[in-house]
Amino acid sequence: MQTIRGRLTAWYSTALACTLVAFAVVLFLARRSASYQDLDRRLQSEADLTAGILAESYRARGDLVEPDRSGKPVLISDVAALLEVVPDFLLITAHDGRTLFISADARALGFQRVEQLLRLLPPAVARRGEGTLRFAPSGQTIRWVVRPLPGLGPQFGGILAGADTKSAELGPEQLLSSMVLILPLGVLAAVILGSWIARRALEPVDRIITEVREITDGRSLHRRLAEPMVKDEVGRLAETLNQMMQRLERSFTALRRFTAEASHELKTPLTVLRAGVERAITTSGLPQDTLAVLEETLQEVNRMTELVDALLTLARADEGRAPLHREPVDLREIIEEAKETGELLAEQAGVRVSVETPPSPVVVSVDRSRIRQLLLNLLTNAVKYTPKGGTVRMALGQDDGQVTLAVADTGIGIAPGDLPHIFDRFWRADSARTRTGERPGAGLGLAICKWIAEAHGGTIEVQSRPGRGTTFMVTLPKPGT
Ligand code: ADP
């Protein structure tokens, strides 16, 4: 389960399913015990009803015992017929223990079982006993009550009313059938309800995630999350995140200011240094090795000036202090200008430069010098990373309200694993050669290209195959087309 919502729903449904099962079992046990009590009451009233019938008959007719065909005393037949209507098992005995009446249901139990029941009577009569009798081996269980029969003449002893407990029992099948009905419905309701509750509960967290995601880059750190009025867990989370962002913003600002100020402070001494070295180089009669040292120094100073310029550009861009001076520009002009510089570089490197532009003007409102800087960065890289004999192609195109600038080379290419990093600041595929190698650089050029493209509302993408070449594609929006 990937989401807290899913997990909450699962826990909630499981908890509800367990509660339902426990509830059903408790309900089942409670109902079973209640139905045993009902059975006892029923037997008691059956015994009382029988005693009542016998008392009535005795008052009306006197003696209720007559000899049967074998001469044994039995209940007179019309009273016996009346008692057959009483449900369950009914046994009536004489005071000497002989049987006066056995109901049809009781007779159906069989001789042995009736005997067992009859044996219960004498000890229980005096104390109106009751109990449960279990017949082995079938396990049939009889619940019984016994009451005396006083006032019916000297013959009568007691009466036993009994019933099979099965008539009052709730079998486990009944529990199962109710569970089969209740459980799926209950669990389904729990899943729907649980998922709804979890979604509602986690909605504010989702909102915070979306807002924080929108503030991921350093430039949006001034934004804050909306803090709910209620200071619950989510409210406190938003508050804590806001405090954290405030601290981050402060350190980011301090860092940017430091970089901008340091680069700015370095600019003047570097200019002075360069002027000094340039003047020294032109001094006549310098020994050869001094001249070589001065040239190397000048090269380093130039490289450092470029680095400081790049740092200052990025620091100002981060601070929002690098506004674009937009004006309508035919991009073909910029490409032609860049081509001239590119051709100079390419000639030294033994690389051919070609340009493809549409015949009609491609006018877009851009900052001319920034777009030139972007193109030159890409072009310089393309020449720098293309071995002798290769080609660098610049192409300008437009369609669907956007303009595309492509710089493609047949150079060394970029490894797929490096592609996600190439727009990062100070990132270089071959960092060991940063200063000394045949391809010097500081790793800031592409970061500046990305900023320029994005500041114009555009994008920059790269496609590359190691050993085959690289294509950078800049897309700029062209409003009004
Ligand atoms: P650098 O000053 O090192 O060229 P960039 O930011 O311009 O810095 O480029 C970053 C890294 O991207 C380079 O070090 C290089 O490894 C890779 N790269 C840029 N352009 C190309 C290209 N056209 N061909 C191959 N690799 C390139």
Side-chain angles (χ1 to χ4, degrees), residues 57 92 104 130 132 159 197 259 280 362 420 429 436:
S57 311
I92 300 173
E130 60 180 38
T132 309
I159 182 169
I197 292 175
T259 319
V362 181
T436 52

Side-chain angles (χ1 to χ4, degrees), residues 116-130 144 146:
Q116 271 180 281
L117 281 173
L118 282 172
R119 273 200 290 277
L120 295 169
L121 259 156
V125 166
R127 51 185 171 84
R128 284 177 161 262
E130 60 180 38
W144 58 265
V146 166

Side-chain angles (χ1 to χ4, degrees), residues 456-473:
H456 282 84
T459 55
I460 180 164
E461 281 163 21
V462 61
Q463 280 177 351
S464 185
R465 285 176 68 190
R468 291 292 190 82
T470 308
T471 303
F472 283 92
M473 178 79 84

Side-chain angles (χ1 to χ4, degrees), residues 408-431:
D409 62 53
T410 55
I412 58 169
I414 302 166
D418 291 344
L419 281 177
H421 307 288
I422 59 162
F423 294 106
D424 294 350
R425 292 171 190 191
F426 294 108
W427 190 91
R428 309 199 70 227
D430 192 357
S431 48

